[in-house]
Structures are given as structure tokens and as C-alpha cells.
Amino acid sequence: MNQRYLVALDQGTTSSRAIVFSLEGEVIAADARTFAQHYPQPGWVEHDPKDILSTQVEALRVAVRKAGIDPREIAAIGITNQRETTLLWDRDTGECLHPAIVWQCRRTAPLVDRLKGEGAGDAIRRKTGLVPDAYFSGTKLQWLLDHLGVRSRAEKGELCFGTVDSFLCWHLVQGHPHVTDATNAGRTMLFNLHTQAWDEELLRMMHIPPQVLPRVLDTAGQVGMLRADILGVPVPVAALAGDQHAALFGQACYEEGQAKNTYGTGCFMLMNMGVHFRLSASNLLTTMAWRLKGQPTYALEGSVFVAGAAIQWLRDELKIIRTSNESEALARSVPDSGGVYFVPAFTGLGAPHWDMYARGTLVGLTRGTGAAHIARAALEAIAFQSDELLQAMARDVGRQPDVMRVDGGATRNNLLMQMQADLSAIVVQRPRTAETTALGAALLAGMGVGLFDSPLAAQSHWRAESEFQPLMEEEDRRRALRGWRRAVERAKGWALEENGEG
Ligand code: ADP
């Protein structure tokens, strides 16, 4: 039978999705299943592993049914996933010993503080490219082994640790392979990006027995065959990639210096750094872009904590818009923000400022300021914050790219896209396929079964839907950026002073 389709499983934080693509990268059919979020204590976030599994299988079956295809026509399946979320299961039964600890969960912040206190921060930074944080899987696994009292079982090889890609493979692939890929391994704080192997020193620091760890595979390549009972026939599973890495691939950012930005609740920007590991001078993360045929490609990663969430705030708290979409029309009803700057530092500021005491600030208000100016300032804030990441990356690599590729829910906003082009003096390209994460996983799976032999062969699948050219006068741009910097200074350290600690 002709193999004419690639399928992506996109296991996200709030939903499991499956998308059937043609070999040309067109979406044929998709399905998404949401599942419950559990918050057992303030700052703690968990998922039920059974929910992850059942929603993912259901989404796959329904998407294939909707596509009306014979599963034998599927050339390969690629898996992309929420990163860093940590699971621990019994190697014999597959039973999880605890709910999945979700990447957002802050329960291991004290363990991270202790690690830093013991001087581990430098080794973590140098070896993993990460900045020590409770987000990453290492201390989550440490916590599970301590809390459940199962370290000796782990040492005997009776338990498996995995991120969501690992967990899905163990359960969905014939023979229960205990595997992960280099992009996911790179988010554990246990994986040495230089040697491309689990790092003994880091394992010792976090008291992790190596027997519990999965084997680290290339991002594209044969993982195994999907269990035949799921779609009626076995299908090759041929790629594993963390979601942001898959998106970078789906955006065809294959060359050094190419960057993509995802505009959702927050923003995630990744820039391809080529084959040379480099640490950022602005404390951005260094991470895997992907590993193909044993060859690592690295990326710089930065995130904006509050992006689309600022628009949600206009909608839910200020109630000056009814839908996120309305932000565009409201902002367009005035020619500019009237000198208003909005720094939505609700939870502090990330790169390049790294100030957890910063708080949200509205400055430049006058008697004439109205809702439209504030809406405009909120959209500009998304563009300004993304620009700060882009500038930090540009400093690290020595040049600003000419083009940035974008995806995510907020890229529907044409005004925001134009603001980004203007404020960053960059061409912003929005692709025809909004599903860049899934497309990336599907294309990687295509590479994994040899349909494409290099990323460049997959490049033809990327097409721009719209392009936004920078139109702003340089002097106006500089003035706007200066204004933003002054506003950020006003936001910094606010919570610190409030507590009288400043
Ligand atoms: P996530 O994957 O983080 O849930 P999405 O990619 O679905 O996010 O994007 C949703 C976010 O984008 C929300 O924060 C929403 O407020 C914002 N958003 C959606 N549409 C628009 C729009 N037209 N203009 C500005 N922001 C928008």
C-alpha cells in the first residue's frame, strides 16, 4: 500500500492532539482531547498519567478516522510533547507510582536552592546549558525517589523515569522500549550536552541512580512499531522531540542564526546555533535544537512569561475587550499608544532582566489615556519583550537575523505582527501551516524512516502565508525602545521595595 501520510502526536500541557499530514505537509485531519489539571497544593501541578495516555490514543484513533485513511498508508508517526514533565513507573507493570509532576510545578524549588547552595549551579549551567530551576526534570525525579522512598528499587532497575515522550513510547510502542530523545533529555538537568550522555556528576548531585534513566536516541530515527491493537496495524514510530524543538524544525529553521517565536500565553523563542555549544551572556538557555544521525545541533532559548496572558488580563480583569481578537480592533482605533507603556511583569521578568521582584506597571498615563491606548500598549509589550529576547540572542551570536518566523494563537493579530516587524526592524513571516509543532514532529518522523534524508529536503514543506515588513522610521523605533527600557526600569524590584527589603 502507498505510504502517503505522516502523523504527529502532540501531547501538550492541557490537551493531547493528533494530526494527519500529507507527505507535502498539508493537514488532512486533526483531533484534540483535553484533560484535567490537578493542583494539590498552591504552586503544585499534576497530571494523571492515565489521562495522558487515554486522551493521546483516543486523539490518534479519531484523527485517523476523520482523515478516512487506511492506517497502512501512514509512513511514520512522530511524537512531540510538553517538556520536563516527569513520570516514574514500574518496569514490569507500567504502573505509575505517582501522578506526573508537570513542568510548571514549583514543589522542588527548595531542592534547587539546596543544589545552588552546594555550588552545583555552575556545573549545571556549563554541562546542560540550563539555568538551575525547578522546571527541569532532575529535581522532580529526585523528589519522587525521596518522597516515595523507592531509591533502592530504582537502583535495582525496577523503575523507569521518563518525560512524556518516554512514557508514551513505553506504553504505545511494541516491546516497551525505555527511550527518550536528546531534546527531551536536554531538559532534565541531568544530560550533558557536550558528551550527549547522562552526566555522572550531575546524577550524583541529585542522587539519581543511572539504572532509572532511559536510553537517549536521536530526534529522528526508528523508535519501534506502534502497538498493532491501537490502529489495527503496526506503524513505525520514528521521531521524538520536545514541543519547542519540533516547532523550530516545523518552521524550517535549519540554519545557524534562524529563529522562531511562538506567541501563546507566554512566548518561546528559539534560535538555531548550529553545531557549536555556546552559553549566553544574557542567561538565555542553551538547549538542543535536535540531534540527527548522532550530530547535535544546538539552540538558544528564551521565554516571555506574560504575552497573550496580558491580553487575557485586558479581557478578564479590566474587561475592556470581550475576546482576545477584539484587542486588535480596539488598538487600531488609535494611531499610537499616546506615550503609554505597559510592562506586564505580573510574575517578575525573565531574560534578559531576570528580576523576580518586578511587577506589572502602567506608565505615561495622561487625562486623555483611554482603553484603546492601554490595549495598544499591551500588544506593544508583547513585541517589546520578544524584541529583548531577540536582541539578547543577536548579541550572543553576533548578528540579528533578517527574518523571524512566528506561530501560536496570538499571531492571528496582524497589528501585533506589524508591531514586531517595526520594533525589531525584522521581517516577520507567518507560515501557512499554523500547526508548526506537529508539522515538525511529522517531518522528523519522515526523516526517521528515510523519506527525507536531510532537513533541507523537508524545507519545501514550509511556506509563508503572510510577511510583515519593518516600516517604522529608525528614529521612531529608537525612541520607542528607549521608552520601553525606561518603563522596565520603573517595574523592576517593585515587590522587593514593598516588603521593605530594598
Ligand atoms: P497556549 O498554547 O499558550 O495556550 P495559544 O497559542 O492557544 O496559547 O494562544 C492563546 C493566547 O493568545 C492567549 O493568551 C490569548 O489571549 C492570545 N491571543 C489569541 N488571539 C489573540 C489576538 N487576536 N490578539 C492578541 N492575543 C491573542
Side-chain angles (χ1 to χ4, degrees):
M1 184 156 293
N2 264 347
Q3 301 203 310
R4 296 188 294 166
Y5 303 100
L6 292 166
V7 172
L9 304 185
D10 181 358
Q11 206 302 307
T13 308
T14 57
S15 70
S16 299
R17 295 140 44 74
I19 297 168
V20 180
F21 290 94
S22 69
L23 296 185
E24 289 70 46
E26 303 286 343
V27 175
I28 307 292
D31 190 65
R33 308 270 139 179
T34 56
F35 53 86
Q37 309 289 314
H38 300 282
Y39 306 103
Q41 289 187 30
W44 291 30
V45 191
E46 295 180 351
H47 290 159
D48 182 340
K50 290 199 176 70
D51 286 349
I52 292 179
L53 210 50
S54 63
T55 53
Q56 190 60 77
V57 169
E58 185 65 9
L60 171 60
R61 288 188 174 133
V62 173
V64 170
R65 195 156 65 230
K66 281 185 189 165
I69 62 171
D70 185 320
R72 283 172 296 184
E73 296 175 301
I74 302 171
I77 295 176
I79 296 177
T80 180
N81 56 286
Q82 51 166 318
R83 303 179 300 172
E84 298 123 9
T85 296
T86 299
L87 297 106
L88 185 66
W89 63 93
D90 183 302
R91 195 181 290 277
D92 283 332
T93 65
E95 229 16 77
C96 281
L97 280 71
H98 192 272
I101 302 183
V102 178
W103 58 274
Q104 297 143 325
C105 187
R106 305 307 299 172
R107 82 182 64 189
T108 62
L111 288 179
V112 173
D113 288 341
R114 196 192 307 161
L115 271 175
K116 289 199 274 196
E118 291 163 358
D122 182 54
I124 291 173
R125 182 95 185 105
R126 253 183 316 107
K127 292 180 167 192
T128 71
L130 304 174
V131 175
D133 196 278
Y135 280 129
F136 306 113
S137 317
T139 56
K140 290 177 156 78
L141 174 56
Q142 181 183 0
W143 185 91
L144 282 171
L145 296 175
D146 287 337
H147 175 76
L148 300 169
V150 293
R151 188 164 282 107
S152 67
R153 287 195 64 199
E155 281 163 3
K156 284 187 233 145
E158 294 173 12
L159 304 179
C160 298
F161 149 76
T163 40
V164 169
D165 56 311
S166 265
F167 175 70
L168 290 176
C169 282
W170 199 94
H171 282 275
L172 303 184
V173 175
Q174 290 176 358
H176 301 307
H178 185 208
V179 294
T180 186
D181 93 298
T183 67
N184 278 295
R187 311 297 293 188
T188 59
M189 248 167 34
L190 303 169
F191 187 70
N192 186 318
L193 257 49
H194 307 270
T195 61
Q196 290 290 304
W198 301 115
D199 188 273
E200 278 177 30
E201 183 193 9
L202 298 177
L203 293 178
R204 257 197 322 275
M205 285 171 172
M206 283 171 254
H207 309 285
I208 308 290
Q211 297 84 348
V212 80
L213 300 171
R215 194 156 53 87
V216 182
L217 305 177
D218 281 352
T219 307
Q222 280 285 0
V223 176
M225 300 300 279
L226 188 78
R227 268 175 25 217
D229 60 294
I230 295 173
L231 291 177
V233 292
V235 180
V237 175
L240 306 175
D243 51 12
Q244 297 305 324
H245 315 268
L248 188 69
F249 198 88
Q251 287 278 27
C253 293
Y254 306 134
E255 285 170 26
E256 192 171 343
Q258 285 186 303
K260 71 93 195 169
N261 195 19
T262 300
Y263 297 76
T265 313
C267 287
F268 280 98
M269 190 181 295
L270 268 76
M271 180 184 279
N272 186 323
M273 293 268 285
V275 298
H276 303 292
F277 178 97
R278 204 172 335 170
L279 285 177
S280 161
S282 307
N283 252 353
L284 299 168
L285 305 181
T286 301
T287 195
M288 301 298 300
W290 40 74
R291 194 175 86 194
L292 300 173
K293 298 178 182 160
Q295 173 65 60
T297 298
Y298 299 103
L300 281 177
E301 173 174 325
S303 53
V304 171
F305 300 151
V306 176
I311 307 304
Q312 287 167 281
W313 184 74
L314 301 184
R315 183 192 65 193
D316 301 338
E317 310 304 328
L318 288 196
K319 301 190 198 303
I320 59 175
I321 48 174
R322 274 168 307 166
T323 65
S324 295
N325 267 333
E326 281 182 16
S327 64
E328 180 166 357
L330 180 60
R332 278 191 194 279
S333 69
V334 288
D336 54 48
S337 66
V340 174
Y341 288 87
F342 175 26
V343 185
F346 299 147
T347 54
L349 286 168
H353 306 292
W354 296 110
D355 181 349
M356 62 179 172
Y357 299 105
R359 287 297 177 269
T361 308
L362 259 173
V363 292
L365 302 180
T366 61
R367 183 63 187 81
T369 300
H373 298 103
I374 292 175
R376 207 167 169 109
L379 291 172
E380 283 173 353
I382 300 175
F384 279 128
Q385 293 182 95
S386 295
D387 183 63
E388 288 179 326
L389 293 180
L390 189 66
Q391 296 316 320
M393 289 182 181
R395 280 195 299 276
D396 285 331
V397 301
R399 69 178 283 270
Q400 167 163 323
D402 306 322
V403 173
M404 182 163 69
R405 293 183 170 170
V406 300
D407 50 51
T411 59
R412 274 196 297 272
N413 190 317
N414 287 328
L415 178 61
L416 171 60
M417 296 297 98
Q418 187 58 50
M419 287 170 170
Q420 191 71 70
D422 284 341
L423 293 173
S424 296
I426 199 168
V427 176
V428 171
Q429 288 182 333
R430 188 170 60 194
R432 213 179 34 163
T433 307
E435 303 282 1
T436 49
T437 304
L439 177 64
L443 292 176
L444 283 161
M447 275 194 76
V449 291
L451 283 179
F452 324 110
D453 62 352
S454 77
L456 288 178
Q459 181 129 33
S460 60
H461 293 84
W462 191 93
R463 277 182 210 101
E465 176 250 341
S466 310
E467 225 175 61
F468 300 84
Q469 301 288 338
L471 301 173
M472 203 178 218
E473 295 292 337
E474 186 59 18
E475 201 186 308
D476 295 340
R477 187 175 88 86
R478 285 183 188 284
R479 189 178 318 118
L481 294 178
R482 263 198 315 273
W484 170 256
R485 277 196 295 273
R486 289 172 59 214
V488 167
E489 289 310 315
R490 304 282 185 294
K492 280 184 177 172
W494 181 260
L496 196 66
E497 287 168 28
E498 189 183 41
N499 293 337
E501 295 168 30

